[in-house]
């Protein structure tokens, strides 16, 4: 198995990804047409409905075979991940429906840096970051992975100017967009990080149709500067599905 070494940044074409179990048939077809098998989440009973299926709320891929998961994740999903050879580490923090109890695992790894509101980062995540020499950087946004779309080890896209300011100080190139066309049922709009993920080293995939975003041109220009191409996985409106998490490549 070729496990993704650096979380969120596959070295080659993705063959297995972790996604929201509620994705539409059209979006699921978009993955399958590109040869990507899916592990689909089930609802976490501790979270509010809008994010209860979101993989970035309940899982954090540490790289290679290691994944930290929140207590209360349905056993079926853990069993499926184990069958693919993943080593599952149970987190300590119990998820809950109200902030900040919903963000303990929503850290955003960008190369050798992890962004999160460090007041709420799960203890097991912290310990593993420390062991691995990964720098944990504080931002005010608890939903860090929702808010950060990873382009490569040194580039991100976000709708959060506070995140951008911190990331730029760390030497990361940032595109800040204003976007209100990302759907998240129950909320005014969703996040760019939660609606995207790399499906190849140079392919940035979007859960929906890129053309429906008013920031489409700015995103395409930024990606082009990085040698990355945008891929629309369906012709539907873009939806926040709690991040496309790449796990295994060809």
């Amino acid at each position: 198995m070729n496990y993704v070494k650096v979380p969120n940044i596959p070295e080659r074409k993705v063959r297995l990804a972790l996604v929201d179990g509620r994705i539409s048939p059209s979006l699921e077809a978009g993955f399958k047409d590109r040869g990507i098998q899916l592990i689909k989440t089930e609802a976490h009973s501790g979270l509010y409905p809008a994010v209860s299926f979101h993989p970035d709320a309940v899982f954090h891929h540490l790289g290679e075979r290691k994944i930290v998961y929140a207590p209360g994740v349905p056993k079926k999903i853990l069993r499926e991940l184990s069958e693919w050879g993943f080593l599952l580490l149970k987190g300590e923090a119990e998820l809950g429906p109200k902030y900040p109890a919903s963000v303990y695992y929503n850290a955003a790894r960008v190369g050798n840096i992890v962004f999160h509101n460090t007041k709420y980062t799960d203890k097991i995540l912290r310990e593993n970051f420390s062991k691995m020499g990964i720098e944990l950087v504080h931002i005010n946004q608890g939903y860090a992975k929702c808010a950060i779309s990873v382009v490569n080890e040194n580039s991100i896209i976000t709708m959060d100017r506070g995140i951008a300011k911190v990331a730029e100080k760390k030497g990361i190139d940032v595109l800040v967009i204003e976007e209100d066309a990302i759907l998240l049922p129950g909320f005014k709009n969703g996040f760019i990080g939660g609606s995207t993920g790399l499906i190849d080293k140079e392919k940035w995939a979007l859960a929906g149709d890129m053309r429906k975003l008013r920031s489409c041109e700015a995103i395409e220009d930024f990606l082009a500067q990085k040698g990355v191409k945008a891929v629309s996985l369906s012709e539907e409106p873009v939806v926040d599905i709690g991040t496309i998490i790449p796990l295994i490549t060809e």
Side-chain angles (χ1 to χ4, degrees):
M1 296 282 188
N2 292 315
Y3 299 98
V4 173
K5 294 178 181 178
V6 179
N8 306 309
I9 307 176
E11 295 180 334
R12 52 187 70 85
K13 187 174 181 180
V14 172
R15 290 301 187 196
L16 180 72
L18 181 62
V19 299
D20 186 315
R22 300 168 296 187
I23 61 170
S24 69
S26 176
L27 190 52
E28 186 166 356
F31 284 106
K32 291 187 176 179
D33 288 347
R34 291 164 177 80
I36 301 173
Q37 290 181 254
L38 302 175
I39 294 179
K40 296 166 68 175
T41 63
E42 295 182 352
H44 189 291
S45 60
L47 294 169
Y48 54 90
V51 303
S52 62
F53 282 77
H54 281 190
D56 60 15
V58 296
F59 292 103
H60 185 91
H61 183 213
L62 290 169
E64 297 281 0
R65 297 170 62 198
K66 291 184 177 181
I67 296 176
V68 174
Y69 68 95
V73 170
K75 291 181 180 180
K76 178 187 174 189
I77 308 304
L78 299 180
R79 189 162 54 247
E80 194 170 355
L81 286 165
S82 294
E83 289 171 355
W84 279 97
F86 288 98
L87 301 175
L88 303 174
L89 308 175
K90 188 176 182 179
E92 186 174 287
E94 298 276 353
L95 291 173
K98 294 183 179 180
Y99 187 94
S102 53
V103 304
Y104 298 135
Y105 302 90
N106 205 280
R109 175 87 172 268
V110 185
N112 288 319
I113 295 174
V114 174
F115 295 99
H116 199 217
N117 187 317
T118 56
K119 291 186 288 186
Y120 309 125
T121 311
D122 173 69
K123 180 183 176 182
I124 303 303
L125 276 184
R126 282 178 172 277
E127 290 175 350
N128 276 276
F129 294 149
S130 179
K131 289 176 186 176
M132 297 165 66
I134 302 300
E135 184 182 5
L136 179 58
V137 175
H138 177 78
I139 55 175
N140 291 329
Q141 174 62 265
Y143 293 102
K145 186 61 198 75
C146 296
I148 294 174
S149 180
V150 180
V151 175
N152 59 35
E153 292 190 6
N154 299 296
S155 308
I156 64 172
I157 301 171
T158 185
M159 296 154 62
D160 189 312
R161 294 187 181 279
I163 289 175
K165 187 175 181 180
V166 174
E168 286 169 346
K169 286 182 179 178
K170 286 294 177 181
I172 291 174
D173 196 7
V174 185
L175 172 66
V176 180
I177 60 171
E178 292 183 5
E179 186 56 66
D180 56 10
I182 299 173
L183 302 180
L184 180 59
F187 288 83
K188 184 178 178 182
N189 57 272
F191 294 94
I192 189 65
S195 58
T196 59
L198 291 169
I199 57 170
D200 203 333
K201 187 175 182 179
E202 297 173 349
K203 288 185 179 178
W204 180 86
L206 193 70
D209 188 344
M210 178 82 163
R211 296 168 297 180
K212 290 181 166 60
L213 297 183
R214 63 190 180 100
S215 53
C216 175
E217 187 174 337
I219 293 172
E220 286 185 328
D221 288 348
F222 184 75
L223 294 177
Q225 293 171 27
K226 311 300 176 183
V228 176
K229 181 181 178 182
V231 176
S232 296
L233 292 172
S234 79
E235 295 182 353
E236 300 170 335
V238 177
V239 61
D240 186 332
I241 59 171
T243 307
I244 300 163
I245 302 180
L247 294 176
I248 292 176
T249 65
E250 63 181 14

